[in-house]
Amino acid sequence: MPRRGYHHGNLRAALVEAALDLIAERGPAGFTMAEAAKAAEVSPAAPYRHFENREALLVEIAVQGYDLFCDLMDFAWNEGRPSALSAFMAMGRAYLAFAAKHPAHYMAMFEAGLSVNATPELAAAAERANAVLTRTAAALAQHIPAERRPPPAMFAAHVWAMSHGVVELYARGSPGARAPFPAEELLESGIGIYLCGLGLIPVDR
Amino acid sequence: MPRRGYHHGNLRAALVEAALDLIAERGPAGFTMAEAAKAAEVSPAAPYRHFENREALLVEIAVQGYDLFCDLMDFAWNEGRPSALSAFMAMGRAYLAFAAKHPAHYMAMFEAGLSVNATPELAAAAERANAVLTRTAAALAQHIPAERRPPPAMFAAHVWAMSHGVVELYARGSPGARAPFPAEELLESGIGIYLCGLGLIPVDR
DNA sequence: TGTACATCAGTGAACGCGCGTTCACTGATGTAC
DNA sequence: TGTACATCAGTGAACGCGCGTTCACTGATGTAC
């Protein structure tokens, strides 16, 4: 993306890219507009042609993160094929892969302290992500006898909570990293046991 | 804790207290030495008589947090009485209560980006917390038939991950708060289902 | 009990720094005729 | 095709600010004799 003289050409995207690098390296609080501008080889005032302020750039990253997240989750779910169960487990792996490959997006989404209502776009993106997870949970829940079936939103929340917990506590090269097991193994086994509890996986294995 | 003239009397504790308030209000990144000093009614240089630098104060808070956490968990566990299962569920509730009543401690422990190895004291405190959870998981796991019993460290990690996930995603007046269920209900039901999966709770309820 | 003195725990002023943001500006681009 | 001009997307300098931290200092405390 070489500079073409006075005008940059695609500064907005370049700033997002630069911010992603900075956030991945130093966390959402450690990124500054000045450094993002510098990384994009542009004066410190230039970013304000594209983003109203610092938070707006952070919000943009979170929105992109939610969109990417939805895509990856949808892809992993693959409309419940070959089976709802195996597709669901694939989503779990995709969740960890997303957190690992897009740490800055993940941080902007969940650790930057942004209000989901910062902008309508962000609220919509977050809601879409929520809907994807709840929809798949509902599809899988159909295989549970009705009287033992939790509300899909609760089912989804349980799984999301465990996934997020694994990411935060054990997946990130979390400082001091005392992870007792690989994150993938931890999440797979944890969700496996949880699904046993719902009767979705036969008890003996 | 009134000021007794030139000397403060208990500045170290007052600074910790002030920092806790600031962190609870604005997060670990939002707290500053200058403001903590001001809140303690002391000049900006005074804190450096008690803490080498900003991080040292944060570490102190995290250490205190781990200690408090251990105490509360031990108390809730109550040596597994009246039953290992009910004591375990009590720990889950205590976990949420700790996060709710001591948000600044919780943040310093898990969200401040401190390395667990920042100091030997911190590493020891974190290890103690880990040990408490693993110990209770091991006690409860004794009631699982050996061939279905996961390693206690894994068992503990699953439950910790779900607890932490619930706190981060649904418990904190998390920005935009779209919690579909009360955090307590979410964690209780989630762990309940998980324990069903381990055969620790009869399936029909 | 009184005094000399070491130590402790504060003060206040200053430092260098980097931040977010604004401003008047200007070079480049693209459109109307 | 050529030219006038509006608009866009940069520049560079500056602002006010608050931060972490250091320094030489001094008032208060406590101990030895």
Side-chain angles (χ1 to χ4, degrees):
Chain A
M1 221 178 275
R3 191 68 178 283
R4 300 190 322 226
Y6 193 90
H7 281 190
H8 182 285
N10 201 3
L11 182 53
R12 187 180 173 89
L15 287 169
V16 168
E17 210 58 43
L20 286 173
D21 287 348
L22 289 167
I23 292 170
E25 204 177 315
R26 307 219 269 270
F31 123 82
T32 70
M33 291 297 257
E35 276 178 309
K38 196 171 176 184
E41 294 182 303
V42 119
S43 84
Y48 295 89
R49 294 288 160 200
H50 298 274
F51 298 96
E52 195 184 334
N53 51 34
R54 198 187 107 98
E55 184 177 323
L57 175 42
L58 222 40
V59 166
E60 168 73 18
I61 288 174
V63 169
Q64 290 189 10
Y66 277 113
D67 286 347
L68 182 54
F69 179 78
C70 287
D71 288 350
L72 292 176
M73 289 297 137
D74 258 338
F75 182 80
W77 173 244
N78 193 25
E79 294 173 23
R81 284 171 300 200
S83 73
L85 182 60
S86 67
F88 195 77
M89 295 308 279
M91 278 180 71
R93 290 189 294 275
Y95 190 100
L96 288 182
F98 172 71
K101 285 170 89 168
H102 305 282
H105 282 117
Y106 196 91
M107 291 180 195
M109 292 157 70
F110 299 119
E111 298 169 39
L114 291 177
S115 165
V116 169
N117 299 316
T119 69
E121 287 74 27
L122 182 57
E127 184 43 40
R128 245 174 290 138
N130 198 37
V132 169
L133 297 196
T134 303
R135 182 159 46 77
T136 61
L140 185 54
Q142 285 195 302
H143 302 145
I144 307 174
E147 74 280 7
R148 284 181 61 195
R149 189 187 303 157
M154 176 178 274
F155 183 6
H158 287 152
V159 174
W160 200 343
M162 187 176 281
S163 305
H164 182 67
V166 166
V167 166
E168 294 290 328
L169 294 180
Y170 305 109
R172 192 110 65 234
S174 135
R178 75 212 118 140
F181 300 93
E184 291 75 17
E185 190 182 335
L186 215 45
L187 185 59
E188 178 124 12
S189 57
I191 294 191
I193 292 168
Y194 174 86
L195 294 180
C196 278
L198 287 174
L200 282 166
I201 295 182
V203 163
D204 71 290
R205 27 176 191 163
Chain B
M1 223 177 276
R3 190 66 177 284
R4 302 193 318 230
Y6 193 91
H7 281 190
H8 184 283
N10 201 3
L11 183 53
R12 187 181 173 90
L15 287 169
V16 168
E17 209 58 43
L20 286 172
D21 287 347
L22 289 166
I23 293 170
E25 204 177 317
R26 309 218 269 270
F31 122 81
T32 70
M33 290 298 256
E35 276 179 309
K38 196 170 173 184
E41 295 182 302
V42 120
S43 85
Y48 294 89
R49 295 286 160 199
H50 298 274
F51 298 97
E52 194 185 333
N53 52 33
R54 197 188 108 98
E55 185 178 321
L57 175 43
L58 223 40
V59 165
E60 168 72 17
I61 288 173
V63 169
Q64 290 189 11
Y66 277 113
D67 285 347
L68 182 54
F69 179 78
C70 287
D71 288 351
L72 292 176
M73 288 297 137
D74 258 337
F75 182 81
W77 172 245
N78 193 25
E79 293 174 23
R81 285 171 299 200
S83 72
L85 182 60
S86 69
F88 196 77
M89 296 308 281
M91 278 180 70
R93 290 189 294 275
Y95 190 100
L96 288 182
F98 172 72
K101 284 170 91 169
H102 305 282
H105 282 118
Y106 197 92
M107 291 182 194
M109 291 157 69
F110 300 118
E111 297 168 41
L114 291 178
S115 165
V116 169
N117 299 316
T119 67
E121 287 74 28
L122 182 57
E127 185 42 42
R128 245 174 290 138
N130 199 37
V132 169
L133 297 196
T134 304
R135 183 159 46 78
T136 61
L140 185 54
Q142 285 194 301
H143 302 143
I144 307 174
E147 74 279 7
R148 283 180 63 194
R149 189 187 302 158
M154 176 179 274
F155 183 5
H158 288 152
V159 175
W160 199 345
M162 186 176 281
S163 305
H164 182 68
V166 166
V167 166
E168 294 291 326
L169 294 180
Y170 305 109
R172 190 111 64 235
S174 135
R178 73 209 120 143
F181 300 93
E184 290 75 16
E185 189 181 336
L186 215 45
L187 186 58
E188 177 124 12
S189 58
I191 293 191
I193 292 168
Y194 174 85
L195 295 180
C196 279
L198 287 175
L200 282 167
I201 296 181
V203 163
D204 70 292
R205 26 176 193 167

